[in-house]
Amino acid sequence: MPRVKRGVQARARHKKVLDEAKGYYGARSKVYRVAKQAVIKAGQYAYRDRRQKKRQFRALWIARINAGARDNGLSYSRMINGLHLANVEVDRKMLADLAIHDKAAFTALAEQAKAALSS
């Protein structure tokens, strides 16, 4: 059986990792052993933060809706409950956008929520 030399595969694998680590500081972008650890950790952070991003945006939207709702004499929870009772299907992302950029439309929705709560 002929002898197998594995230099080509190793070089390709190292190159792939070092390409992924481009732009990292110091040895993290130059030394294979360190770069491999850095790339693995970066992947873990990316996986975790793709999920955290969704939570953080939802929290931001809720804070913006709450601020807009309180300008109209409602709390966040009463505003959302009122919209639900009024069968208004606007998601939090759109409500937050309205609260920031179109105060008149947001106020109209707040009035609808108030009407639904009082009835």
Side-chain angles (χ1 to χ4, degrees):
M1 198 167 192
R3 174 169 164 237
V4 177
K5 297 175 74 179
R6 304 184 340 222
V8 175
Q9 290 88 339
R11 168 87 49 181
R13 195 161 47 248
H14 287 201
K15 188 176 174 208
K16 187 172 93 171
V17 170
L18 288 171
D19 282 345
E20 276 188 74
K22 231 180 214 18
Y24 292 5
Y25 181 82
R28 293 164 72 89
S29 67
K30 308 228 179 340
V31 180
Y32 172 73
R33 280 175 148 184
V34 183
K36 185 172 183 194
Q37 291 175 348
V39 166
I40 289 170
K41 195 63 168 177
Q44 290 171 339
Y45 286 139
Y47 179 86
R48 179 197 70 192
D49 292 340
R50 278 194 297 274
R51 279 137 193 87
Q52 282 191 350
K53 182 169 75 170
K54 294 165 183 63
R55 296 175 210 156
Q56 289 166 354
F57 266 106
R58 184 179 169 96
L60 175 67
W61 298 333
I62 288 171
R64 288 177 172 177
I65 294 165
N66 191 23
R70 288 184 188 277
D71 288 343
N72 289 293
L74 287 168
S75 67
Y76 167 79
S77 60
R78 287 185 51 78
M79 170 101 179
I80 293 294
N81 186 32
L83 291 173
H84 181 73
L85 292 173
N87 290 322
V88 176
E89 292 185 12
V90 182
D91 63 1
R92 285 166 180 80
K93 182 178 180 179
M94 291 311 303
L95 278 172
D97 192 57
L98 289 174
I100 298 292
H101 297 105
D102 191 358
K103 298 221 187 285
F106 189 84
T107 302
L109 286 172
E111 294 304 324
Q112 272 188 294
K114 278 183 193 174
L117 284 168
S118 64
S119 62

